[in-house]
Amino acid sequence: MYEEVRLDPVTSALLVVDMQNDFVDPRGRLFVPSAPDTVPRVKLLIERARSSKVPVLYTQDWHLPDDPEFKIWGEHAVAETWGSGIIADLAPGPRDLVVRKQTIDPFYGTPLDHYLRLLKVDTVVVAGTVANICVLQAVSGASVRGYNVVYPMDAVSALNEFDSELAVRQAHFVHRALITRAEGVIFSQ
């Protein structure tokens, strides 16, 4: 694990994965109990990114009624509902980009890679929920497309400790992500 990771703000981006009401709010349909604890650290990353003019991109799980994924996870993040909304504490700003996705992979069928390439990004900081599902898919998708990945483990929530440790292990071992904590992510040239 790296205590401090200094990133060039010109070539870095922050990807906030699925910090939506259905996952982060206790009233949500797929509430992740550790997600509320990560909000202050995700917020810190967003504030640091914005103050350094680092692009902030959000993924937003977004499903039509009767989505086939509901057979696996049950109904959640239905388009245009409260549950699909990004939580108010982490609301996207006017310069942030929101990428709506219909699967656990934020690169599949979305413009995410296109946006990152237009922004000339080579390093992606990935935070959010759920560690071994959508967050790990974001890490994997970024890695196989040639991006460097930074994984602030205290800004990523999981359903349990095993899943959290598994995601950290896979992010580091398989995808060579730099593992750190939110406080250790510094955007400076």
Side-chain angles (χ1 to χ4, degrees):
M1 182 167 72
Y2 301 88
E3 293 302 315
E4 187 175 281
V5 178
R6 291 195 170 270
L7 302 173
D8 184 345
V10 175
T11 59
S12 299
L14 172 62
L15 182 61
V16 177
V17 178
D18 296 0
M19 294 298 282
Q20 297 167 249
N21 292 318
D22 264 351
F23 308 123
V24 183
D25 190 291
R27 297 168 293 169
R29 292 183 178 230
L30 289 179
F31 176 59
V32 178
S34 65
D37 294 338
T38 64
V39 171
R41 291 180 290 282
V42 174
K43 190 172 190 169
L44 171 69
L45 290 167
I46 292 169
E47 290 167 353
R48 285 185 175 181
R50 287 178 182 157
S51 69
S52 297
K53 297 187 176 25
V54 170
V56 178
L57 297 93
Y58 291 77
T59 67
Q60 186 177 23
D61 211 27
W62 193 260
H63 299 288
L64 298 176
D66 300 321
D67 190 299
E69 189 175 290
F70 296 163
K71 290 176 186 168
I72 301 167
W73 296 107
E75 189 174 280
H76 65 281
V78 175
E80 304 295 346
T81 65
W82 170 85
S84 67
I86 295 168
I87 65 166
D89 283 350
L90 303 177
R95 294 185 159 194
D96 300 335
L97 296 170
V98 177
V99 176
R100 291 179 172 162
K101 63 186 184 68
Q102 288 72 49
T103 71
I104 62 174
D105 182 347
F107 287 92
Y108 179 76
T110 75
L112 180 56
D113 185 49
H114 179 69
Y115 290 159
L116 293 171
R117 303 248 182 243
L118 284 176
L119 295 166
K120 300 188 180 353
V121 167
D122 66 18
T123 301
V124 180
V125 178
V126 182
T129 200
V130 174
N132 64 316
I133 306 172
C134 296
V135 172
L136 191 55
Q137 288 295 314
V139 167
S140 175
S143 172
V144 300
R145 287 168 177 80
Y147 298 101
N148 301 309
V149 178
V150 176
Y151 189 100
M153 58 193 263
D154 61 338
V156 176
S157 58
L159 292 167
N160 57 54
E161 190 61 34
F162 175 82
D163 292 349
S164 178
E165 290 175 15
L166 169 76
V168 169
R169 164 83 172 143
Q170 292 298 98
H172 179 67
F173 181 72
V174 176
H175 302 292
R176 298 298 186 233
L178 297 178
I179 308 299
T180 190
R181 297 194 178 277
E183 190 66 38
V185 176
I186 310 294
F187 297 106
S188 73
Q189 291 183 317

